[in-house]
């Protein structure tokens, strides 16, 4: 587990880019933390590193936003508004976890058992004017990703 302090959006995006540069297809990443903690900012930095140049917003209303880069399909979820697991079932959420697409999930705690276990859990916490970001690798491939970007 590693923990770092970031004092700006840009720095958070840079850390996200480091993770993205050693990511593999099919990886599941949980983004945890309160409203405004920087989950979407992290997702933005991650997507930029993978070559996506457009706007990245929290998909609060549509729940999931797909992105396509030369190399990867990425699904960015925001489960904040989910109050009932049936909504997720109706969305066909299982189909997104196809072992190929990279999935970034904001508010994974709302998805409970419908979600696969993460490869990496990333937690953002308010810390003064900045944020403390904790990277917690769960799977073997998650550990490898964190090791690779820690060099
Ligand atoms: P979330 O998706 O967790 O609700 P956002 O990424 O949408 O959060 O918003 C984070 C907000 O916090 C933005 O307004 C951003 O400018 C601000 N912010 C301040 N410091 C940081 C930091 N170090 N990292 C990320 N965001 C920060
Ligand atoms: Mg968000």
């Amino acid at each position: 587990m590693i923990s770092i302090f970031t004092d700006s959006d840009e720095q958070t995006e840079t850390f996200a880019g480091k993770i993205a540069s050693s990511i593999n297809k099919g990886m599941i990443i949980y983004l945890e933390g309160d409203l405004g903690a920087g989950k979407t900012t992290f997702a933005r930095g991650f997507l930029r590193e993978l070559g996506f140049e457009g706007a990245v917003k929290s998909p609060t209303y549509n729940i999931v936003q797909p992105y396509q880069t030369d190399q990867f399909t990425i699904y960015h979820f925001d489960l904040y508004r989910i109050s009932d697991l049936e909504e997720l079932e109706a969305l066909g959420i299982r189909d997104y976890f196809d072992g190929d697409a990279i999935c970034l999930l904001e508010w994974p705690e709302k998805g409970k058992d419908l979600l696969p276990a993460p490869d990496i859990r990333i937690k953002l916490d308010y810390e003064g004017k900045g944020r403390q970001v904790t990277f917690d690798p769960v799977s073997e491939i998650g550990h490898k990703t964190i090791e690779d970007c820690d060099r």
Side-chain angles (χ1 to χ4, degrees):
M1 188 143 99
I2 56 174
S3 188
I4 45 134
F5 179 77
T6 129
D7 63 8
S8 67
D9 296 28
E10 292 75 20
Q11 220 182 345
T12 298
E13 289 189 30
T14 302
F15 288 129
K18 283 191 167 197
I19 299 282
S21 64
S22 46
I23 207 78
N24 284 283
K25 71 173 189 152
M27 288 183 75
I28 308 289
I29 300 186
Y30 285 7
L31 294 173
E32 302 177 353
D34 291 341
L35 274 179
K39 301 179 294 297
T40 300
T41 303
F42 191 97
R44 186 174 301 121
F46 187 96
L47 286 155
R48 292 264 153 82
E49 174 65 28
L50 297 183
F52 181 77
E53 285 167 8
V56 175
K57 294 182 287 178
S58 227
T60 312
Y61 293 94
N62 31 342
I63 312 293
V64 55
Q65 177 69 46
Y67 294 90
Q68 186 66 49
T69 69
D70 291 346
Q71 216 184 340
F72 298 113
T73 300
I74 303 112
Y75 296 120
H76 177 199
F77 292 83
D78 181 351
L79 305 184
Y80 184 67
R81 285 167 53 88
I82 297 293
S83 51
D84 183 341
L85 289 180
E86 279 176 24
E87 289 174 56
L88 284 182
E89 298 260 25
L91 205 75
I93 192 155
R94 286 172 226 268
D95 297 344
Y96 290 94
F97 310 122
D98 60 2
D100 228 25
I102 295 168
C103 292
L104 301 175
L105 291 129
E106 298 189 34
W107 297 100
E109 51 274 55
K110 302 255 187 175
K112 305 214 171 76
D113 296 343
L114 286 181
L115 304 185
D119 292 292
I120 305 173
R121 288 179 58 213
I122 296 168
K123 176 100 194 296
L124 294 109
D125 289 297
Y126 286 89
E127 176 91 36
K129 288 189 173 144
R131 306 289 188 268
Q132 193 70 32
V133 189
T134 306
F135 301 89
D136 180 12
V138 178
S139 70
E140 200 171 320
I141 186 100
H143 274 95
K144 198 169 171 309
T145 299
I146 297 293
E147 277 166 25
D148 285 352
C149 68
D150 206 19
R151 312 218 154 92

